[in-house]
Amino acid sequence: MTKGIFFGLILIVAVSCHADSDVVRQEIGMVWRSGGLYYCAEQLHLANGDTLIVDLEDIIEFVGGDSVSVRYREIGRNKFCSPAIDCEIIEIIKLE
C-alpha cells in the first residue's frame, strides 16, 4: 500500500513537471552579452531575477542593454551557467 502511494506521488510530480514546461511566460528584461563565455554569451536578465540563456539568432537585432518584453517557454536549467534557464523564445520586442 505504501509503495503504491509513493509511486503515485512520483507519477504526479513527473506529470506536473512536464506540464510546466509547456507554459508560456511573459516578462520584461534586459539583453546582456558577455562577449566571451561560449555557453552563456547571450542572456536576458529578467526583472523577476531570472536569467534566460538564449540563442544568438533570437536576439541578433538587439544590443546589450536593450530593454525587451519576451514571451518564452522554459526548456530546463542550464548546466553550464547555473542558475540560468534554457528557453525557447516565442516573441521578443524591444521596449522604448
Side-chain angles (χ1 to χ4, degrees), residues 25-62:
R25 295 187 165 94
Q26 182 166 357
E27 295 289 338
I28 303 291
M30 184 175 61
V31 174
W32 184 83
R33 297 178 189 232
S34 73
L37 299 172
Y38 178 74
Y39 293 104
C40 311
E42 288 78 29
Q43 300 179 3
L44 296 179
H45 292 191
L46 302 180
N48 69 4
D50 287 343
T51 299
L52 301 179
I53 304 300
V54 297
D55 291 329
L56 177 61
E57 297 85 34
D58 291 334
I59 63 169
I60 193 77
E61 63 191 63
F62 303 101

Side-chain angles (χ1 to χ4, degrees), residues 13-26:
V13 169
V15 170
S16 66
C17 289
H18 176 68
D20 190 39
S21 67
D22 293 334
V23 173
V24 174
R25 295 187 165 94
Q26 182 166 357

Side-chain angles (χ1 to χ4, degrees), residues 46-87:
L46 302 180
N48 69 4
D50 287 343
T51 299
L52 301 179
I53 304 300
V54 297
D55 291 329
L56 177 61
E57 297 85 34
D58 291 334
I59 63 169
I60 193 77
E61 63 191 63
F62 303 101
V63 296
D66 279 351
S67 183
V68 294
S69 173
V70 61
R71 290 180 61 226
Y72 66 97
R73 181 177 295 116
E74 286 187 21
I75 297 171
R77 296 289 172 182
N78 188 290
K79 63 183 178 182
F80 300 105
C81 312
S82 293
I85 301 167
D86 286 326
C87 69

